Amino acid sequence: MTEKEYNQCVTEYADNVYRFALKNLRNTEDARDVVQSAFEKMWVYKADVGDGKGKSYLFTIAYHLILDHVRRVKKKTSIESEMKKDYPEEPQSYDRPMNNTRKVLEAALAQLDETQRSLVLLKDYEGYSYIEIGQITGLNESQVKVYLHRARVQLRNYLVSPQNVI
């Protein structure tokens, strides 16, 4: 990959990678960090990136960075919860219904695990094919189809449940 091709990838895909990271992490600063790290790694390994493979390589790096981040946060959260288990938690407030479609969809996506959420976002938001998603995530095509089907069933079950959309 040449410097010109790298710059073209930055111009064309920065927003897409950021949107993908933001939908998975739901935190703007963390999403920006992932995008920056992904482009940094792509720059360092630009010699390994073949012609026309920039987008796939970039999303693969971003996907793995997102998984690493989620694992770190889960580990940190579990340690903090162990430290706080002596203190009772305040009950959540449910007095304001979620009537905004966007909020309902975000809540539905939040119910999925990291892999399922990433697959749904790559397929339905970014428009990747099953083969491309498999290359990004390291899954084979049939695994992508099965996991994506299960994720969609889980989304459907969440969205048709009256208590979740009212």
Side-chain angles (χ1 to χ4, degrees):
M1 170 177 268
T2 65
E3 187 175 330
K4 182 179 179 181
E5 292 171 330
Y6 174 84
N7 290 333
Q8 185 177 358
C9 279
V10 171
T11 303
E12 288 181 21
Y13 307 125
D15 290 339
N16 294 349
V17 174
Y18 174 74
R19 184 175 58 242
F20 175 64
L22 184 61
K23 291 284 185 187
N24 275 291
L25 299 174
R26 292 168 291 209
N27 182 307
T28 58
E29 291 303 316
D30 292 341
R32 287 180 184 153
D33 289 345
V34 165
V35 172
Q36 183 174 357
S37 296
F39 278 111
E40 180 184 357
K41 284 188 178 198
M42 188 172 173
W43 176 257
V44 170
Y45 298 106
K46 68 182 178 189
D48 298 336
V49 180
D51 293 337
K53 300 288 184 183
K55 182 178 179 183
S56 177
Y57 190 83
L58 185 61
F59 272 89
T60 301
I61 292 170
Y63 173 75
H64 290 289
L65 289 170
I66 289 167
L67 288 180
D68 291 344
H69 178 78
V70 168
R71 288 179 185 136
R72 269 193 314 273
V73 168
K74 279 185 178 179
K75 186 174 183 179
K76 181 181 173 185
T77 304
S78 68
I79 291 170
E80 288 174 355
S81 67
E82 284 292 318
M83 295 174 76
K84 292 181 179 181
K85 71 180 179 181
D86 294 334
Y87 301 102
E89 214 173 292
E90 293 182 25
Q92 291 181 334
S93 173
Y94 292 105
D95 47 349
R96 191 177 57 160
M98 278 209 281
N99 56 7
N100 186 343
T101 304
R102 182 173 162 216
K103 288 182 182 179
V104 172
L105 289 175
E106 286 176 1
L109 283 171
Q111 300 298 311
L112 302 175
D113 66 33
E114 305 90 44
T115 303
Q116 290 177 327
R117 184 172 38 254
S118 294
L119 293 176
V120 168
L121 293 173
L122 286 170
K123 181 66 176 163
D124 297 331
Y125 281 79
E126 298 298 330
Y128 279 104
S129 69
Y130 294 118
I131 294 171
E132 292 171 323
I133 294 171
Q135 291 170 347
I136 290 170
T137 60
L139 301 170
N140 65 42
E141 186 179 354
S142 61
Q143 287 175 313
V144 169
K145 289 178 181 179
V146 169
Y147 293 164
L148 191 56
H149 173 72
R150 290 177 183 165
R152 287 176 175 159
V153 167
Q154 191 173 342
L155 285 173
R156 184 184 66 223
N157 290 341
Y158 181 88
L159 292 172
V160 299
S161 179
Q163 69 264 20
N164 296 327
V165 294
I166 293 178

